[in-house]
């Protein structure tokens, strides 16, 4: 019996070698691609991880500054003056938190955008609950004929008292029993501003000679307040 012999000629060996080489090249290309994608993803994750603390720190600092008692828009802690809020601009907002020029910022009060710089597409948002107070001055001329006491609305922190040059002589003004203005010879005509407690209903009483309607004019600013959410977003 003759031995069976399998012969592989040179062409077939060459084709196999080329196929193995192509497979190796393809594997190297795939490995390089995966490595490149992994590096890109890792760099992106690192950038996000670095950016988020900066955004959160800036948003937190700005939100806290806006509701602080000594902040530029607050009358006391967590109580904001509506006129000051409306007057906020981009430069003031950036200066409050020391934000970099590259960071975009948006400040909303109860969902309404007050200030926005650039295009805030994402970023980190921090919220604070506060009160917004609107004070519109009101002026009344109390009738002092036959009475010497005037009661004003609560939450009025001050009263401006204008003493007329005629219509009687005012010698003493009291606020809830406390003497706030006094001159035994009569108060000089003009405007006087006195502070009163916001926690009690202010009651003013007047003493003098021949007091009548028009002797004094009172200007006060009661507070109209509402609860709001202050929302600060920083997109770095």
């Amino acid at each position: 019996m003759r031995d069976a012999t399998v012969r592989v000629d040179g062409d077939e060996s060459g084709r196999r070698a080329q196929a193995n080489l192509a497979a190796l090249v393809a594997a190297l290309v795939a490995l390089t691609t995966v490595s490149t994608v992994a590096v890109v993803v890792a760099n992106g994750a690192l950038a996000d991880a670095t950016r988020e603390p900066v955004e959160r720190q800036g948003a937190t600092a700005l939100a806290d500054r806006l509701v602080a008692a000594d902040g530029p828009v607050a009358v006391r802690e967590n109580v904001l003056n509506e006129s000051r809020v409306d007057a906020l601009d981009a430069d003031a907002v950036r200066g409050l938190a020391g934000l970099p020029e590259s960071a975009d910022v948006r400040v909303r009060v109860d969902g309404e955008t007050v200030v926005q710089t650039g295009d805030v597409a994402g970023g980190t948002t921090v919220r604070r609950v506060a009160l917004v107070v609107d004070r519109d001055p009101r002026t009344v001329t109390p009738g002092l004929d036959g009475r010497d006491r005037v009661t004003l609305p609560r939450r009025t922190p001050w009263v401006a008292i204008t003493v007329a040059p005629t219509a009687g002589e005012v010698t003493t003004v009291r606020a809830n029993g406390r003497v706030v203005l006094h001159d035994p010879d009569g108060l000089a005509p003009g405007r006087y501003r006195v502070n009163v407690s916001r926690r009690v209903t202010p009651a003013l009483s007047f003493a003098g000679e021949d007091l009548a309607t028009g002797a004094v004019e009172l200007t006060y600013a009661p507070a109209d307040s509402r609860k709001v959410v202050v929302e600060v977003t920083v997109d770095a």
Side-chain angles (χ1 to χ4, degrees):
M1 176 182 298
R2 295 181 180 178
D3 293 334
T5 302
V6 178
R7 298 181 59 190
V8 178
D9 58 24
D11 290 342
E12 186 174 350
S13 297
R15 284 196 296 271
R16 288 183 180 178
Q18 290 177 357
N20 291 337
L21 180 60
L24 177 61
V25 171
L28 290 174
V29 170
L31 178 60
T32 302
T33 302
V34 171
S35 300
T36 302
V37 171
V39 170
V40 171
V41 171
N43 288 339
L46 179 61
D48 289 341
T50 303
R51 182 170 59 247
E52 184 174 351
V54 173
E55 293 177 344
R56 181 161 296 279
Q57 181 180 4
T60 300
L62 179 53
D64 289 344
R65 193 76 184 99
L66 288 175
V67 300
D70 60 346
V73 298
V75 293
R76 57 186 185 275
E77 187 174 2
N78 294 324
V79 180
L80 312 182
N81 180 290
E82 187 167 40
S83 298
R84 297 177 191 173
V85 172
D86 292 340
L88 269 179
D89 58 24
D91 292 337
V93 166
R94 285 191 181 279
L96 288 176
L99 296 170
E101 289 295 329
S102 60
D104 295 327
V105 185
R106 181 178 62 220
V107 177
R108 286 177 172 169
V109 177
D110 244 16
E112 180 179 351
T113 299
V114 177
V115 176
Q116 179 166 328
T117 66
D119 182 18
V120 180
T124 301
T125 299
V126 172
R127 296 174 178 84
R128 296 288 183 268
V129 176
L131 291 177
V132 169
V133 177
D134 181 22
R135 296 189 183 275
D136 290 326
R138 305 173 188 175
T139 300
V140 297
T141 303
L144 298 181
D145 300 328
R147 67 188 181 98
D148 61 1
R149 185 182 178 89
V150 178
T151 302
L152 300 176
R154 291 186 62 182
R155 297 184 299 173
T156 299
W158 55 266
V159 180
I161 303 170
T162 302
V163 178
T166 58
E169 184 179 90
V170 181
T171 58
T172 305
V173 179
R174 290 180 172 85
N176 297 100
R178 175 175 59 92
V179 175
V180 292
L181 297 174
H182 176 70
D183 188 333
D185 297 325
L187 295 172
R191 185 181 176 94
Y192 303 85
R193 175 167 168 154
V194 298
N195 294 326
V196 295
S197 174
R198 291 188 296 264
R199 298 179 177 85
V200 299
T201 301
L204 303 181
S205 58
F206 304 86
E209 297 289 338
D210 301 324
L211 297 182
T213 299
V216 295
E217 184 180 75
L218 307 178
T219 301
Y220 60 98
D224 180 16
S225 62
R226 68 184 190 278
K227 184 181 291 186
V228 299
V229 175
V230 179
E231 181 182 284
V232 176
T233 301
V234 174
D235 186 358

